[in-house]
Amino acid sequence: MASVTSLSDSVQQHLASAIAAALPEAGSADPLLRRSDRADFQANGILALAKKAKANPRELAAQVVSRLESGGAIRDIEVSGPGFLNVTIADRAITENLAARYADDTGRLGVPFADRPGTTVIDYAQPNVAKEMHVGHLRSAVIGDSVVQLLGFTGETVVRRHHIGDWGTQFGMLIQYLDEHPHELDHEAGEVSGEEAMSNLDRLYKAARKHFDSDEEFKTRARRRVVDLQAGDPHTLAVWQKFVDESKIYFFSVFEKLDMEVRDPDIVGESGYNDMLAETCRLLEESGVAVRSEGALCVFFDDVKGPDGKPVPLIVQKSDGGYGYAATDLSAIRDRVFNLKADTLLYVVDARQSLHFKMVFETARRAGWLNEDVTAVQLAFGTVLGKDGKPFKTRAGETVRLVDLLDEAIDRASTVVREKAQDLSEEEIAERGTQVGIGAVKYADLSTSANRDYKFDLDQMVSLNGDTSVYLQYAYARIQSILRKAGEVRPAAHPELDLSDAERALGLHADAFGEAVTEAAREYAPHKLTAYLYQLASLYTTFYDKCPVLKAESPEQVENRLFLCDVTARTLHRGMALLGIRTPERL
């Protein structure tokens, strides 16, 4: 299916050609087109061009208008103010463009692929082995998953990486304890639920910790175990693997609840780079990027100093020979650039780690692993806050378990669905409650710019009014209800019909879906897509209130309005899917 040129792109191209004809020295100048409340679009680019050419802007604007090819999408164009162009689109063009999108049987709504897609490795959803996932893990998973969908939709080759915390000194204590109590994690593979797996790990961790704190001999044995683990001792690795496997049962259950696909081959934890660590250090030291300082291998930066004014280095290898996070992260960069052939590395990681990643990226640049052809970006996200505006904690002051949070969202959403449901069974209410609850949590996260903190307020999230996913889901379900009621009458485009203001506004916005997706993908900004979809649902509500659909004036108008409804529904459905949110057919 060929892609469809949006009306704004079409107008942009026509204006650019007219500008080039009126002012050849301007070349392919940007008309600076944007939506306007004075007309459908306003072009502001003539002012700057006139200033540069020392011409009168209103006169230049008039010349541009006279050079415009007549016909096509533009119904009317007028010069206003100091040289703005107000552009009104023909009703026929709106309907025809939407009809072309509607005819796209790939489900892409005529949205083109990116011109030069590349390969992006995206590092997101990074839980820790043998530890409960908490609310802090939510944002990396939800934002990362949406960016994966957005980039994939534009044609990018996306390689997912879940850099789980599965290595380090803390495992010595756990491995030693399990070795001395060998049946603590025994069960038939796959028969344990995620909740049971986590409680097994939690019980084991507490017992090991108690031993470690009270028994000096156990503490010594546990520390020796760390050395065995790092040396690759087969028995120690086999015990360690049990913790990883048990943790994965739990991880997969949480990701399933989040309605996210996390695949086993994409989980490459810290341990996945062990074999590269020594070489990474050798390459950095030999090239002079890293130097020995008090026995440790360090990289120094002019602009990174501690409170005492002394430089704070990135420590790649500790003085005792152990490796820090930096060695693993730098090895991962080498793997992603040279083996996976990525041209973009994207890290969806808490903003509090920004300094670490700044230093890691700069080190990789100095080493030549990152260059003009490869960019590394941290998509830094803010903190989840409670209603009181402070970091989200339980009443006892502990971090909130992610599973508890999701269960509560599903409960609240099920109550909302039950109150509104007319002909849904209990089973359907439970299914819709899950889709609405999980959607509400994701949407609240994604509708805030990633780098800002946001308040976790379930009452607000599952509200039917305001900028929530439930509002969008209900708009979608309402359209499906109208389409069902239409029975034998099918949606059909009638370009010959005049459109009301509400129809025009809805049609023009639906036509701009591709631009919203492209911008959200280019800037790794799902919140730009949520803003677009919320406006789409709002414009649909206005249309629904002002334009009778099934009781329209003529059979053609009924079909055309059903067509507008269906185009809106398909756009909502596709857009919500890119956010990882379901759109139930009935609510």
Side-chain angles (χ1 to χ4, degrees):
M1 172 73 200
S3 59
V4 179
T5 304
S6 71
L7 290 165
S8 71
D9 275 354
S10 176
V11 171
Q12 178 106 357
Q13 288 161 15
H14 277 78
L15 285 175
S17 300
I19 289 170
L23 194 69
E25 63 267 33
S28 56
D30 185 352
L32 298 181
L33 197 70
R34 60 180 181 80
R35 288 301 302 273
S36 164
D37 48 10
R38 304 245 162 92
D40 293 331
F41 295 101
Q42 188 174 67
N44 303 340
I46 306 256
L47 299 178
L49 289 171
K51 192 173 176 186
K52 204 171 166 189
K54 299 190 170 49
N56 176 314
R58 274 191 72 92
E59 284 173 13
L60 179 59
Q63 279 180 300
V64 169
V65 172
S66 72
R67 297 297 182 110
L68 259 181
E69 293 168 23
S70 59
I74 298 172
R75 181 176 81 201
D76 187 40
I77 184 162
E78 60 172 29
V79 179
S80 86
F84 299 132
L85 294 178
N86 285 340
V87 181
T88 304
I89 302 292
D91 288 359
R92 169 178 285 279
I94 295 173
T95 306
E96 284 175 346
N97 237 44
L98 290 179
R101 296 191 180 288
Y102 192 68
D104 180 356
D105 53 11
T106 65
R108 292 185 61 82
L109 295 154
V111 176
F113 287 103
D115 290 339
R116 290 188 300 280
T119 298
T120 296
V121 174
I122 174 164
D123 186 328
Y124 69 108
Q126 311 106 343
N128 294 311
V129 164
K131 282 192 182 165
E132 183 96 57
M133 286 173 75
H134 55 78
V135 67
H137 291 114
L138 179 67
R139 299 210 72 186
S140 176
V142 170
I143 295 167
D145 185 54
S146 178
V147 174
V148 166
Q149 307 299 334
L150 280 163
L151 291 176
F153 187 71
T154 65
E156 187 79 1
T157 299
V158 181
V159 181
R160 313 167 193 208
R161 278 291 174 266
H162 307 294
H163 190 90
I164 63 171
D166 65 354
W167 204 246
T169 52
Q170 72 276 22
F171 284 99
M173 171 183 95
L174 293 170
I175 291 168
Q176 188 60 34
Y177 183 84
L178 187 58
D179 206 28
E180 293 175 16
H181 304 80
H183 301 297
E184 287 285 307
L185 286 181
D186 284 359
H187 55 76
E188 291 294 318
E191 67 175 24
V192 168
S193 72
E195 197 72 8
E196 289 170 308
M198 193 61 241
S199 84
N200 290 343
L201 290 164
D202 197 46
R203 187 188 68 243
L204 212 138
Y205 182 86
K206 284 174 178 158
R209 182 88 240 176
K210 193 173 163 192
H211 245 58
F212 190 83
D213 291 343
S214 61
D215 181 337
E216 282 301 318
E217 287 183 359
F218 177 77
K219 189 181 275 190
T220 305
R221 292 198 297 277
R223 288 189 170 145
R224 273 208 297 270
R225 260 309 146 105
V226 178
V227 178
D228 293 342
L229 179 65
Q230 289 176 338
D233 168 58
H235 175 68
T236 303
L237 280 174
V239 181
W240 165 82
Q241 189 65 46
K242 285 187 176 179
F243 284 101
V244 176
D245 293 343
E246 195 80 4
S247 298
K248 281 184 180 178
I249 296 171
Y250 162 68
F251 295 159
F252 285 127
S253 74
V254 178
F255 290 125
E256 195 176 335
K257 187 164 279 199
L258 269 169
D259 196 14
M260 276 171 52
E261 183 194 35
V262 170
R263 303 175 301 214
D264 202 45
D266 302 334
I267 298 176
V268 183
E270 293 166 356
S271 63
Y273 305 100
N274 281 341
D275 297 348
M276 300 175 71
L277 301 178
E279 190 183 15
T280 295
C281 291
R282 180 177 65 74
L283 291 169
L284 290 171
E285 194 169 7
E286 283 176 3
S287 62
V289 172
V291 293
R292 292 279 165 191
S293 173
E294 295 173 29
L297 186 63
C298 302
V299 183
F300 288 93
F301 307 86
D302 295 339
D303 57 345
V304 184
K305 294 187 170 60
D308 56 2
K310 289 185 178 167
V312 176
L314 182 71
I315 298 173
V316 187
Q317 190 179 23
K318 299 175 216 164
S319 54
D320 65 2
Y323 300 103
Y325 290 123
T328 309
D329 286 332
L330 287 162
S331 299
I333 287 177
R334 286 175 54 216
D335 177 57
R336 292 165 186 186
V337 173
F338 300 113
N339 295 337
L340 299 176
K341 304 285 187 260
D343 30 51
T344 306
L345 306 179
L346 187 58
Y347 293 78
V348 189
V349 184
D350 191 316
R352 286 170 291 197
Q353 295 190 42
S354 293
L355 179 60
H356 168 77
F357 278 100
K358 181 185 163 192
M359 292 160 83
V360 165
F361 295 162
E362 175 57 28
T363 300
R365 262 192 287 279
R366 291 180 190 175
W369 305 332
L370 292 177
N371 52 34
E372 274 68 59
D373 302 327
V374 187
T375 46
V377 182
Q378 182 195 357
L379 178 47
F381 55 82
T383 307
V384 181
L385 307 173
K387 284 187 191 179
D388 57 3
K390 295 179 180 154
F392 202 19
K393 297 271 195 275
T394 62
R395 287 208 177 101
E398 294 165 2
T399 50
V400 180
R401 294 172 73 225
L402 184 50
V403 173
D404 292 345
L405 205 76
L406 299 177
D407 286 341
E408 193 182 341
I410 291 167
D411 283 350
R412 296 279 184 94
S414 300
T415 305
V416 171
V417 172
R418 182 173 279 108
E419 282 167 8
K420 293 278 286 187
Q422 283 150 4
D423 55 352
L424 296 180
S425 66
E426 276 303 308
E427 197 180 326
E428 286 172 320
I429 289 171
E431 184 200 4
R432 306 294 194 282
T434 301
Q435 294 180 350
V436 171
I438 297 299
V441 170
K442 287 183 175 181
Y443 188 89
D445 195 319
L446 295 170
S447 57
T448 309
S449 170
N451 57 11
R452 288 177 46 205
D453 301 343
Y454 83 98
K455 282 186 188 172
F456 196 95
D457 180 346
L458 276 175
D459 294 327
Q460 168 69 45
M461 288 179 188
V462 298
S463 166
L464 293 169
N465 305 313
D467 189 2
T468 65
S469 67
V470 194
Y471 176 67
L472 275 69
Q473 286 168 323
Y474 266 99
Y476 178 81
R478 174 187 278 170
I479 297 173
Q480 295 309 319
S481 168
I482 293 171
L483 293 170
R484 283 193 296 274
K485 280 183 192 152
E488 297 297 304
V489 185
R490 312 306 310 152
H494 287 277
E496 73 281 2
L497 293 177
D498 291 341
L499 300 177
S500 70
D501 288 349
E503 288 173 303
R504 291 177 56 81
L506 179 62
L508 280 166
H509 193 68
D511 185 60
F513 176 61
E515 281 133 330
V517 170
T518 301
E519 186 182 10
R522 186 178 59 237
E523 297 178 18
Y524 312 127
H527 71 279
K528 298 211 162 168
L529 181 57
T530 65
Y532 168 87
L533 293 170
Y534 174 58
Q535 198 182 347
L536 182 68
S538 304
L539 289 167
Y540 180 76
T541 303
T542 306
F543 160 81
Y544 180 79
D545 290 344
K546 293 189 171 171
C547 305
V549 177
L550 300 176
K551 293 182 177 167
E553 289 165 23
S554 67
E556 290 77 19
Q557 196 171 49
V558 172
E559 289 177 350
N560 201 59
R561 285 183 177 169
L562 281 171
F563 156 73
L564 272 175
C565 288
D566 206 3
V567 169
T568 303
R570 290 181 187 192
T571 307
L572 281 170
H573 174 74
R574 169 53 66 196
M576 295 286 267
L578 293 175
L579 301 172
I581 299 174
R582 304 265 173 185
T583 38
E585 301 286 309
R586 291 173 196 262
L587 272 177

